[in-house]
Amino acid sequence: SYCPSLLGLFIDGRFVRPSDGRLTVDCLFVCCCAGGVTCTIVCTAEAELSICTSSSVSAFKSWSALSCSQRAKVLLRLSGALVQHGQCLCELCDLSHAPCSAPSLIRLVQYYSSWAQLRDSLMPQWTPLGVVAVVLSDDCSFYSLMVKVLPALAMGNSVIVIPGRSTAPAALLFAQLFMGVGPPAGVLNVLTGNDITLGARVAQSESINYMSYSGNKQVCVFVCRATAGVGVPVSVSVTVGSICPFVIFETADVDSAVDAVIEAAFKKNKEVRWQLFVQDSVVDSVVARLQLRLTSMKCVSVCADADRLQVDAAVQEAQQQGATLLQSCTAPPSGLQYPPTVLCGVAPSSPCVVTPPPGPLLPLMTFRSNAEAVTLGNHSPHGQAASIWTEDLTLALETAKSLSVGVVWVNSHSVSDPCLPLSGHKDSGTCTDGGQQGLYQFLRPSSSSSTPLPRSVPVSMDYTTFGGGAPLPIIPDQSDVSSSPQSFLQFVGGKACKSESGCSVAVRPPGGGGVLAYCPDGGRKDVRNAVEAALKVQPGWMKKSPSARAQTLYALAKGLESKRRDLAVSINSQTGVSMEEAEKEVELSVSRLNEWAAFCHQVQGGGPLPQSGSALSLPEPLGVIGMLLPDRKPLLSTLTVLGAAVATGNAVVMVPSQSYPLPILTFIQVLQSSDLPAGLVNIITGNKDQLTAALANHSVIKAIWYWGSAQGCQYLQHTCTSPLKTLSLFCQKETEGPEGGLDWTRSEPTFMEELWRKAVQWKSVWIPTA
């Protein structure tokens, strides 16, 4: 029966309710506020889903056909509507426990209306993706939703929103306000229901071109695994539940720092969990001020009985390990009220530090030096944000640069501005939101003729046994036999070496026949050794100046040119192309390395101007990247992606084409005589599936660039979730051969820029002023 407080779905520019007779309702969701019912919302069925995706496809054609100026005017009218109705929208957010301030929302719309106006003039070689699905978990804020929806709309995409339970009422109201300012019907649709299953069902529609998720890690893992193999790129922002360091140095204004940590931990942003690190020399002063501030605070609510049990258990265990409590009052024996609590003297390995419960708890730890503070701050698997308190600007900037987080606030916390890119580091996400950098996830190069992941139906596969077989013919290692054919070695830690297995595989020419050479059959142990070597050298390489990295790449290109004859012969014998084509590929490879050397000097960072204070926006390397390389143009493709990674400060573990490994094994001679630090570039040959599994399951690998089978792409999407890895996947058909697939000879600026963006993550440093 129809409920007066029932909110329907928002499809094709209007609310669709059960009373329309066109759609059916299977179940209802309840949005709770302070124990009461705010409203009930419809759960989407398959019929509504089909109508919604058709509407979005039609709306995309109309919306993207508008001029940039026309789309900008629509968004400007939306900002005017929010000025009039924003307070109502934000009150609805508060009722549903998804707070968002009206001024910040208006500022967000105004910012992206300007980018809608400037897209064609500043990014003329980029085009919108199509239909974008934005998925949120139940506990995510409305602002986190808007940070993804507005840039997608500004760039010309149509959007399907799958909000969580707390953001659903506000998302529906926002969609109604947006349609009131005149966009094409269907450009923004809202589907409500169970976010865990609904997001996966939406992704399986052939109309979806991209999916972006924001919320907690549990739902993130489910969404990534449920969409593995369907051919939809998925980016994630783990904005809920991240552990963030709050660092107070002895040079800080202690009173201001204590006031700020009380506000951050117990009053303001409940999506993150703060940990307090205090320098030894001021810890007594900080503790005294904390105790004074806590005495005036009341108990705060926890969400559920299960959360209260977790908080009680964490506090009890911390006390047993020697921690002391600072509380405003004694905790009630039961109920959902709990006093704000500081746990002093806990160890970094304590459970309340490693896996903090969802409640008003603030662990406090001490440090002696700046280096120790950085070590403690980086101890968490998350990398969302940090707050640093010191009057020494040099110390603040050095610490900010060393912390592996996406945003650092100096003498402030929890402030935001849409002009600053927010990039989740480590386990906090795989994409960048905000600023100009956050726009590119909703764009593709206009010159791109094909999608890297074709739409497909996920295959049934055993993820635990993927890569376990050895389909290549294995023979004893031939590296000590002084006879033809030649035996090659792999390259790990700056040295040519045998594989740990002690075996080699035969490499044959394209048409079959005799053995061309033998190459090592690498495995998990070889990957382990290569990653250890890369991890050891990458921090030093990252700190080198762009000029120093450029000179090293110029020297590598010169060394490559000196071996051009040997490399051309290996390409000719391995792939079967003519010597003329092989020499041309070597020449293009030399040119590509020189281009990346020049690109080192064009580091695209800067200082965007927020509404208050100053800010720095800095590109940083991802860390250690695993690369499983394509068959086409084996030398040129390898040096193109190698140059992108190394030029931006990364270390790499590369797996050459399983069908055409000889050009890269010949390239090892160039690496041996180069100036690259030992361990920066590692090359392992062997079974691609086996090495894919080894790279995917290594916790240190930060990103994987993969060219291979659809099954390999599906495996990586399913597996690279704990910890999160940034994936660049390209499905390579077995019939393509060395001349099929992506055109590596192209030299458009967007091609290089796209690779550069895949190799970096962003850090924003916020420096407020009085």
Side-chain angles (χ1 to χ4, degrees):
S1 62
Y2 176 68
C3 173
S5 60
L6 176 67
L7 297 180
L9 309 172
F10 196 86
I11 299 175
D12 203 31
R14 67 191 184 95
F15 281 102
V16 178
R17 297 186 177 184
S19 58
D20 293 344
R22 188 179 60 155
L23 303 178
T24 60
V25 178
D26 294 328
C27 57
L28 300 175
F29 248 173
V30 179
C31 294
C32 297
C33 175
V37 176
T38 302
C39 60
T40 52
I41 55 177
V42 177
C43 281
T44 306
E46 291 302 319
E48 298 105 70
L49 178 56
S50 177
I51 295 171
C52 176
T53 53
S54 298
S55 169
S56 294
V57 171
S58 177
F60 168 68
K61 295 176 182 177
S62 302
W63 181 243
S64 61
L66 296 178
S67 68
C68 289
S69 177
Q70 288 172 314
R71 284 194 297 270
K73 288 178 181 178
V74 171
L75 291 175
L76 282 173
R77 290 197 295 269
L78 175 61
S79 68
L82 289 175
V83 170
Q84 184 176 359
H85 302 289
Q87 190 59 39
C88 175
L89 180 63
C90 293
E91 287 179 3
L92 183 58
C93 289
D94 290 338
L95 285 173
S96 303
H97 296 294
C100 179
S101 70
S104 65
L105 193 57
I106 294 168
R107 160 72 172 148
L108 198 64
V109 175
Q110 292 172 342
Y111 177 79
Y112 284 113
S113 68
S114 66
W115 273 114
Q117 177 75 47
L118 297 172
R119 194 201 76 185
D120 283 354
S121 58
L122 295 185
M123 296 180 284
Q125 297 176 315
W126 297 82
T127 190
L129 297 173
V131 181
V132 174
V134 178
V135 183
L136 263 69
S137 64
D138 279 344
D139 46 7
C140 199
S141 70
F142 185 69
Y143 188 85
S144 297
L145 172 64
M146 290 296 99
V147 164
K148 292 185 178 291
V149 169
L150 290 171
L153 291 172
M155 293 299 100
N157 301 281
S158 62
V159 178
I160 298 176
V161 174
I162 302 99
R165 181 168 53 184
S166 60
T167 51
L172 290 166
L173 176 56
F174 177 83
Q176 185 179 27
L177 293 174
F178 183 56
M179 286 310 302
V181 299
V187 72
L188 177 62
N189 294 320
V190 181
L191 298 179
T192 56
N194 188 334
D195 64 291
I196 295 182
T197 60
L198 182 56
R201 285 160 50 202
V202 169
Q204 291 169 4
S205 169
E206 292 186 358
S207 304
I208 304 300
N209 301 101
Y210 180 75
M211 175 173 282
S212 188
Y213 166 83
S214 184
N216 63 52
K217 181 63 182 294
Q218 292 76 18
V219 178
C220 164
V221 171
F222 178 88
V223 169
C224 290
R225 291 180 175 177
T227 56
V230 301
V232 175
V234 179
S235 66
V236 299
S237 301
V238 182
T239 57
V240 178
S242 291
I243 300 172
C244 300
F246 194 107
V247 184
I248 301 178
F249 288 99
E250 61 184 0
T251 51
D253 178 346
V254 174
D255 285 310
S256 298
V258 170
D259 288 340
V261 75
I262 289 288
E263 181 183 34
F266 303 128
K267 296 180 181 179
K268 200 167 186 179
N269 188 356
K270 302 299 176 62
E271 290 187 345
V272 302
R273 297 167 189 171
W274 290 95
Q275 294 181 347
L276 179 59
F277 303 106
V278 183
Q279 197 155 13
D280 273 342
S281 56
V282 293
V283 66
D284 292 337
S285 177
V286 169
V287 168
R289 285 168 171 78
L290 282 171
Q291 184 66 74
L292 182 63
R293 305 299 198 279
L294 288 173
T295 55
S296 61
M297 296 186 67
K298 299 178 181 179
C299 291
V300 297
S301 298
V302 294
C303 295
D305 292 329
D307 295 340
R308 171 62 194 267
L309 292 176
Q310 290 184 51
V311 170
D312 287 335
V315 170
Q316 183 178 0
E317 187 169 8
Q319 287 181 300
Q320 291 173 352
Q321 294 177 350
T324 57
L325 303 186
L326 299 180
Q327 289 180 320
S328 58
C329 61
T330 304
S334 61
L336 298 182
Q337 296 292 310
Y338 201 87
T341 302
V342 178
L343 300 171
C344 301
V346 294
S349 59
S350 174
C352 68
V353 175
V354 178
T355 56
L361 300 183
L362 177 65
L364 186 154
M365 289 158 278
T366 60
F367 63 90
R368 292 181 294 273
S369 64
N370 179 28
E372 188 178 354
V374 169
T375 301
L376 288 171
N378 288 333
H379 181 66
S380 164
H382 306 108
Q384 182 175 343
S387 179
I388 298 172
W389 289 78
T390 176
E391 299 297 317
D392 185 341
L393 183 59
T394 300
L395 174 62
L397 293 177
E398 288 178 354
T399 307
K401 191 173 183 179
S402 301
L403 288 171
S404 298
V405 295
V407 58
V408 179
W409 297 296
V410 178
N411 296 330
S412 58
H413 71 91
S414 306
V415 290
S416 62
D417 192 278
C419 71
L420 289 176
L422 304 175
S423 182
H425 291 211
K426 298 190 289 188
D427 222 21
S428 289
T430 61
C431 68
T432 299
D433 296 316
Q436 181 180 357
Q437 313 308 329
L439 300 174
Y440 289 95
Q441 63 176 312
F442 303 112
L443 297 168
R444 62 177 177 84
S446 304
S447 58
S448 179
S449 58
S450 62
T451 56
L453 286 177
R455 296 310 301 262
S456 60
V457 177
V459 299
S460 177
M461 58 187 297
D462 185 353
Y463 295 102
T464 61
T465 60
F466 178 83
L472 293 180
I474 305 297
I475 61 174
D477 195 289
Q478 301 290 313
S479 57
D480 294 329
V481 180
S482 57
S483 60
S484 184
Q486 182 180 358
S487 294
F488 286 90
L489 299 175
Q490 57 189 13
F491 192 66
V492 176
K495 299 178 182 178
C497 58
K498 302 179 183 179
S499 67
E500 290 285 342
S501 68
C503 294
S504 295
V505 295
V507 180
R508 302 181 186 277
V515 176
L516 284 176
Y518 297 104
C519 67
D521 181 51
R524 188 178 300 273
K525 291 183 178 179
D526 299 285
V527 169
R528 178 200 63 195
N529 296 339
V531 172
E532 287 178 357
L535 184 63
K536 189 177 297 184
V537 73
Q538 189 270 331
W541 176 251
M542 175 182 69
K543 292 177 182 177
K544 284 186 176 293
S545 67
S547 177
R549 291 202 294 265
Q551 293 307 312
T552 302
L553 285 175
Y554 279 129
L556 185 64
K558 187 176 181 180
L560 183 70
E561 192 167 15
S562 68
K563 293 285 185 180
R564 61 187 309 155
R565 179 66 182 176
D566 294 342
L567 289 164
V569 169
S570 70
I571 294 171
N572 166 256
S573 61
Q574 174 77 96
T575 65
V577 301
S578 66
M579 276 298 293
E580 182 180 357
E581 283 294 316
E583 289 174 349
K584 184 178 179 181
E585 181 175 345
V586 177
E587 182 179 348
L588 285 172
S589 300
V590 173
S591 175
R592 190 58 51 81
L593 278 180
N594 283 324
E595 287 176 4
W596 280 121
F599 214 86
C600 288
H601 294 288
Q602 309 301 323
V603 177
Q604 300 178 24
L609 297 177
Q611 281 191 311
S612 62
S614 302
L616 301 174
S617 180
L618 308 170
E620 293 188 339
L622 295 171
V624 180
I625 301 177
M627 296 181 176
L628 298 111
L629 300 166
D631 292 341
R632 184 173 191 185
K633 300 291 183 185
L635 181 65
L636 176 59
S637 61
T638 297
L639 294 185
T640 299
V641 296
L642 170 65
V646 171
T648 50
N650 299 283
V652 295
V653 178
M654 300 194 303
V655 178
S657 163
Q658 185 173 311
S659 302
Y660 312 106
L662 294 191
I664 308 308
L665 293 175
T666 305
F667 173 65
I668 288 177
Q669 300 175 29
V670 179
L671 290 173
Q672 287 177 306
S673 59
S674 72
D675 296 332
L676 288 174
L680 190 70
V681 177
N682 303 274
I683 299 174
I684 302 173
T685 56
N687 179 267
K688 176 172 280 189
D689 287 348
Q690 182 180 355
L691 294 173
T692 297
L695 289 168
N697 288 287
H698 201 295
S699 61
V700 172
I701 297 288
K702 301 297 184 184
I704 294 180
W705 298 359
Y706 177 85
W707 286 263
S709 66
Q711 290 81 4
C713 292
Q714 180 176 332
Y715 173 81
L716 288 170
Q717 287 178 308
H718 183 275
T719 306
C720 297
T721 55
S722 295
L724 283 172
K725 292 178 173 60
T726 303
L727 300 178
S728 295
L729 306 178
F730 301 85
C731 188
Q732 181 176 268
K733 298 178 182 178
E734 295 181 3
T735 57
E736 284 179 351
E739 296 302 310
L742 182 66
D743 181 11
W744 291 96
T745 62
R746 54 194 281 218
S747 57
E748 299 92 346
T750 53
F751 179 57
M752 300 285 283
E753 184 181 356
E754 187 178 20
L755 285 174
W756 181 84
R757 293 187 183 282
K758 291 179 185 295
V760 300
Q761 57 190 354
W762 289 86
K763 174 181 288 183
S764 295
V765 181
W766 187 293
I767 306 171
T769 55

